[in-house]
Amino acid sequence: MGHGAPTRRTVLTAAVAAAALTASLTAGCTRQGPSDDGRAPHGSAPPDGRRSAGTGSVLAVKIDNVAAARPQTGLDSADVVYAEQVEGGLSRLMAVYATKLPEVVGPVRSARESDLELLRQFDRPTLAFSGAQRKLLPLIDGAPLRPRTPDTASGAYYRGGDKPAPHNLYLRPARLMSGAPGRSALTTGFRYGPAPSGGTVTATRTVRYPVARFTFTWSAARQRWLVSMDGTPTRTTSGARVAAATVVVQHVRVRTSAYHDVLGNPTPYTETVGTGKAEVLRDGRSYEAVWNRRTATDGTTFTAADGSPLPFATGQVWVVFAKA
């Protein structure tokens, strides 16, 4: 123990000018509690020897999204993918699964305070994540969800050999849940249906964070928005190109939370309760919209300029939270 702390301080001090910033941007993580992002899971089975009772509620997985974590696994099977800004201006994803559970999902990373508000829309969702800042852990434990980390469900996680830690932690969903809960568990408030009239023909749309960006390009052949991140086409480890049926750019308030990463960078808090402007992209068109979520237990509705519901296209939905 005597050697660990001095070595860490020495490295951080020497890297203040350059490497520390790089480490901060690459990690994008808060200080960890017992479930550290950089620690391999131990043991071979959950403490109680049983699977978690997840059927009936969605599975939400925090997914790493820095360059070292790509390509991701299982991202194309998600029903909804949320993109949020984290420390250092980077991005992180939360993939929500209801109609299908892939064999493997990852790389899995740490949770944030604003995840708890976002997940209140679901009925006791299972949240798979690698850890969180120590002070945040009591809030997660007290939230109406099922938290599952490598410490509480070690048999569901493993370290892959394709990437360096901490970008190589993967989840086997079948070891957390007995099966996919079904579409009825997606209590997002989203409506699906035929494309509304109007809209603006749109070939591509880019959302930028300080050091990350998402680009969605319409493919008439696939009738989908092809996803690119940081200028690179997004593919999974299977080679599948990630493509969304609907893309939502949701303009929200992003404030500073009470938490920080290991280098002191403040953690952004993305407010998903309230109302504001949005853009809904579907069928090669962009529609101006207003989003509304009255309370944390409500889903989010999207309405057109005339107040009528704005339906989404059937298929995967990407929601990118953009600073209002």
Side-chain angles (χ1 to χ4, degrees):
M1 291 180 63
H3 298 292
T7 301
R8 186 181 182 86
R9 288 195 298 268
T10 301
V11 171
L12 291 177
T13 301
V16 161
L21 176 59
T22 302
S24 172
L25 297 181
T26 302
C29 293
T30 54
R31 290 186 178 88
Q32 302 299 307
S35 303
D36 191 298
D37 263 4
R39 191 175 70 191
H42 52 78
S44 57
D48 59 5
R50 298 172 297 167
R51 289 179 178 174
S52 304
T55 301
S57 62
V58 302
L59 170 65
V61 186
K62 290 307 299 286
I63 296 182
D64 199 351
N65 197 37
V66 296
R70 301 173 192 152
Q72 291 105 339
T73 301
L75 191 60
D76 53 329
S77 297
D79 293 282
V80 183
V81 178
Y82 292 99
E84 63 178 344
Q85 182 180 328
V86 293
E87 301 86 359
L90 288 164
S91 64
R92 187 155 295 181
L93 307 176
M94 179 188 286
V96 177
Y97 299 87
T99 61
K100 178 183 178 182
L101 295 180
E103 290 186 11
V104 176
V105 179
V108 181
R109 289 303 296 270
S110 56
R112 295 295 183 273
E113 182 186 10
S114 52
D115 297 333
L116 305 183
E117 179 177 277
L118 181 62
L119 289 172
R120 287 290 305 279
Q121 65 188 300
F122 302 112
D123 180 20
R124 291 192 64 79
T126 297
L127 174 61
F129 62 109
S130 63
Q133 189 194 60
R134 193 176 301 274
K135 293 181 179 179
L136 181 57
L137 292 175
L139 273 70
I140 295 175
D141 290 339
L145 52 80
R146 300 179 178 93
R148 295 294 183 263
T149 68
D151 278 351
T152 61
S154 60
Y157 291 89
Y158 70 94
R159 290 283 179 187
D162 57 335
K163 302 179 181 73
H167 312 292
N168 63 349
L169 180 65
Y170 293 90
L171 170 73
R172 298 183 181 95
R175 299 195 180 187
L176 286 185
M177 304 174 67
S178 59
R183 185 165 297 278
S184 62
L186 283 174
T187 51
T188 55
F190 302 164
R191 294 187 178 220
Y192 299 83
S197 60
T200 302
V201 175
T202 302
T204 186
R205 176 70 167 90
T206 296
V207 181
R208 289 179 171 82
Y209 292 166
V211 291
R213 72 183 188 273
F214 297 87
T215 299
F216 303 93
T217 303
W218 177 248
S219 168
R222 291 191 57 180
Q223 291 292 294
R224 290 290 185 270
W225 298 93
L226 304 180
V227 182
S228 296
M229 295 188 288
D230 301 332
T232 301
T234 301
R235 297 184 182 276
T236 64
T237 48
S238 68
R241 183 74 189 272
V242 178
T246 304
V247 176
V248 178
V249 182
Q250 186 173 338
H251 299 275
V252 297
R253 182 178 178 233
V254 180
R255 59 175 172 81
T256 300
S257 76
Y259 303 98
H260 301 77
D261 70 5
V262 71
L263 295 179
N265 295 307
T267 300
Y269 186 101
T270 300
E271 296 186 359
T272 56
V273 172
T275 187
K277 295 180 179 181
E279 302 158 58
V280 175
L281 280 64
R282 59 164 297 173
D283 301 291
R285 290 179 174 269
S286 175
Y287 298 85
E288 293 186 1
V290 173
W291 68 269
N292 184 62
R293 185 181 177 201
R294 293 180 300 172
T295 70
T297 56
D298 291 325
T300 306
T301 61
F302 294 85
T303 54
D306 62 1
S308 61
L310 209 165
F312 294 178
T314 301
Q316 187 177 79
V317 176
W318 275 65
V319 179
V320 183
F321 294 119
K323 191 172 183 179

